[in-house]
Amino acid sequence: SQERLSMLRSAFSGGAIVVVMTLLKMSLHAGSFHLPPLFEAVIIWVIYSGGFITMQLTHSTLATKLPSFTASRLAVLMNNVRHPSELNQFAEEVRTVLKSQALAFVGNLAAVIPLAFLFNLGFEALLGRHVIDPKQAMSTIAGLHPIFSFAVVFGAVTGVLLWLSSLAGGWFENWVVYRKLPTAIAQSRRLRRAFGVQLPARWAQWLEKNSSGLSANITLGFLFGFVPFLGVITGLPIDSRHVTISSASAVLSSFSIEHDATFFKTMTVTSIGLLLIGIANLSVSFALALVVAARASAVNSRRFSTLLKLLRRRLIGF
């Protein structure tokens, strides 16, 4: 349908932005020069925040990134579930979210794979080497192993980070509305004298429309930059793995590892790791959104458990 094609196009452009973000991030680790961990975390924050905001402004989509209104929307539907017809509506809403995230992942990959190939091809033609050096490539691939790495655990951590960023987006949007900032900007005498009446009014509308997305994206960029930094300063294995960003890293790294008899097996195992990361990203963030929705709609634990069982039967049949 037209809606699905539009979603795929949006996800394709999101995947293109992810490739650029990944190249910028991985360039920080290239060569023998390394920045201090704090400076590196700040730069990664800027890279990710800039990329996520670019996605927002270009209406691009990133897989597993749930909008900040998901929990509130689910809370309204959950509170209204009293009859089978209302459960069907709730199940359909959940199914729509899951389908949109699956389409987003397909669209992201449709951009990541060919664009990564073209970037590597151009880089090799200009400088005579691959984008990622072999040592860094092997480290990246090893970090995506579904069993012999913490990839799936880090995917679950990323699910928590995605959920936290959506909370930040909803909180900031509520704060903007509560403080009546759009009205203050639109009616500011100084701004009206300097820019006229229409321009401040447009700024106010833009802030009201984009405040949630901006704060969520900046928060997510901060978390992606500073959660690994927390692992560095504590010496603990703490990191994040987002399925689309990890996919871009894996594709870029695949050009630099040795293409011997074990290459196909290595990339198959890596693909399984990426699939599990995606499942962890989405399941954890969505489960937390459901819990928030239940708390917001004052659904007790017994009713919530019953609702989940019924929802599972409607979605997967058992």
Side-chain angles (χ1 to χ4, degrees), residues 81-112:
V81 174
R82 295 290 186 274
H83 303 286
S85 61
E86 291 156 351
L87 178 61
N88 288 335
Q89 185 181 2
F90 181 72
E92 186 60 33
E93 185 74 16
V94 174
R95 189 182 291 112
T96 299
V97 171
L98 297 178
K99 283 183 179 179
S100 67
Q101 296 305 304
L103 283 173
F105 181 54
V106 172
N108 287 164
L109 281 185
V112 163

Side-chain angles (χ1 to χ4, degrees), residues 108-167:
N108 287 164
L109 281 185
V112 163
I113 295 174
L115 288 177
F117 175 78
L118 291 175
F119 267 111
N120 187 77
L121 191 65
F123 200 85
E124 190 174 12
L126 290 173
L127 300 179
R129 64 181 183 86
H130 297 295
V131 174
I132 311 300
D133 65 78
K135 183 179 179 181
Q136 186 181 1
M138 287 303 299
S139 176
T140 300
I141 295 297
L144 297 174
H145 197 285
I147 299 175
F148 300 120
S149 76
F150 291 104
V152 180
V153 176
F154 294 156
V157 171
T158 303
V160 177
L161 303 185
L162 291 164
W163 171 71
L164 288 174
S165 69
S166 71
L167 285 186

